[in-house]
Structures are given as structure tokens and as C-alpha cells.
Amino acid sequence: MKKVSSINYLLVTAIITVISVIIYAAVQQVYRSGANDPQIQIARDINSNLRQGKPVENFFTDTIDISQSLSVFNVLCNDAGKPIRSSGLLQNKMPVIPVGVFEFAKKNGEHEVTWQPQPGVRMAMVIVASSSSPVGFVASGRSIQEIEIRVHNLITIIFFGWMVCIALTLLHAVFHFYNSRKTF
């Protein structure tokens, strides 16, 4: 019977681990990047409406509590990044987005970020630079709470799959070791 080196088992374990990590990273990135899809379209549409001369006062007649809702919310900000009008409120105030994201958006036209305005509240945000005075930026965001639940479930599935593969590899190693000892 051919003798199998323990290095082969370590190599199989390493391959299983690398494949599991790659699967996790790929699916997690698909989940997270997909969280930006509606905001990209909404922020660009709002910016287009502003460029067509629609007044700021016509935007966002209703508001939501962004710490409680999964709905998309929008914020119009001036050139300095201060909120002018918002469809989302945080602690009954318009959300104040960190100034650094506006600098990147101004240089590149658009910026996609994950923003945590307070513990337990995380948002997928898209910031679009606008040149429609008084609006300097259009920000659109939504909670990533459901995405985080999916990522947690993904981690659980991949971990258990990894454990099963490692257990099967270990079982094979034990079985092989036992059979090779019987032949001597």
C-alpha cells in the first residue's frame, strides 16, 4: 500500500481553508456591493432633477428614522457637506455625513462608503457631487442590517462546510494510518 505523507494532509487542509476564504470573500463582496444598487440610481436621478432646475423644496416631503428603517433615505448637502434637506432623520435631526467623503466625491464625481453614524446603525451610502446651487452633493443611503445578517449566515455556512471537510480529511488520515499499521 502506498504511504501517504502527513504533508499531503496539511496541503489538503490548506487548500480547503483557502477555497473557503475565497468563497466567503467573493460572496461577501457581492452582498455588500449590491447594497449600493438602489442608492446609485436614486442619487443620480436626484442630481439629474436638480440640474434640470427643480427646486430643493420639492424634494423629500416625508421623513424616516434611519436608525429604525430599512428604507432608502436621501440627503441634499451644500458645498461644505452640511445637510440642507433630508428624507431621513437620526435622533430627530438631519444626518451629518463625515466631511472626508465629500472631498473624494468632489474629485471623483461619486463615492460609495459604509457609514456608521452611531453604534448599531450602519449605512451603505452613495455620495454624488452636484453643481446645482445650493446643493453641492446628493447622498443616498440605506441600512445594511439585512446584509450583515446574510454575511453572518454566510460565515456560519462556510464555517460548518469547512469543519465537515476538515473532519473528512482527518477521518481519511486516521483510516489510512490504521490500515497502513495493519499491513506491517
Side-chain angles (χ1 to χ4, degrees):
M1 181 182 258
K2 185 178 175 185
K3 195 170 186 180
V4 178
S5 166
S6 60
I7 291 175
N8 289 344
Y9 289 110
L10 289 175
L11 184 60
V12 168
T13 301
I15 290 169
I16 292 167
T17 301
V18 168
I19 290 171
S20 296
V21 168
I22 290 170
I23 292 169
Y24 165 76
V27 175
Q28 188 272 344
Q29 282 300 300
V30 168
Y31 284 162
R32 180 55 192 90
S33 63
N36 292 329
D37 289 346
Q39 296 91 290
I40 292 169
Q41 177 252 319
I42 292 168
R44 288 177 183 173
D45 287 352
I46 291 170
N47 190 36
S48 176
N49 287 336
L50 288 168
R51 282 196 313 257
Q52 292 173 12
K54 296 192 177 169
V56 172
E57 294 75 28
N58 291 353
F59 292 92
F60 323 137
T61 56
D62 196 15
T63 59
I64 60 167
D65 179 353
I66 66 172
S67 68
Q68 302 298 315
S69 178
L70 298 176
S71 295
V72 175
F73 67 96
N74 304 290
V75 184
L76 301 179
C77 299
N78 66 15
D79 287 330
K82 294 194 187 319
I84 300 169
R85 195 161 183 88
S86 178
S87 65
L89 300 177
L90 183 62
Q91 297 176 351
N92 293 320
K93 298 177 187 167
M94 286 191 286
V96 179
I97 302 165
V99 177
V101 300
F102 296 110
E103 294 169 21
F104 186 90
K106 187 176 273 188
K107 286 180 187 173
N108 298 287
E110 193 169 294
H111 192 24
E112 298 170 6
V113 298
T114 301
W115 175 47
Q116 183 170 340
Q118 68 184 34
V121 178
R122 289 176 35 91
M123 302 289 159
M125 298 290 299
V126 174
I127 296 95
V128 174
S130 182
S131 56
S132 304
S133 185
V135 178
F137 301 93
V138 176
S140 187
R142 71 175 172 145
S143 172
I144 58 172
Q145 178 182 10
E146 290 299 315
I147 303 300
E148 289 174 335
I149 291 169
R150 290 178 191 150
V151 168
H152 179 269
N153 292 341
L154 173 66
I155 290 170
T156 302
I157 290 167
I158 293 206
F159 176 74
F160 282 115
W162 178 82
M163 290 293 291
V164 166
C165 290
I166 297 301
L168 289 172
T169 303
L170 182 59
L171 185 64
H172 184 272
V174 168
F175 179 75
H176 186 273
F177 176 75
Y178 176 75
N179 278 342
S180 66
R181 302 266 303 164
K182 281 173 74 173
T183 58
F184 290 118

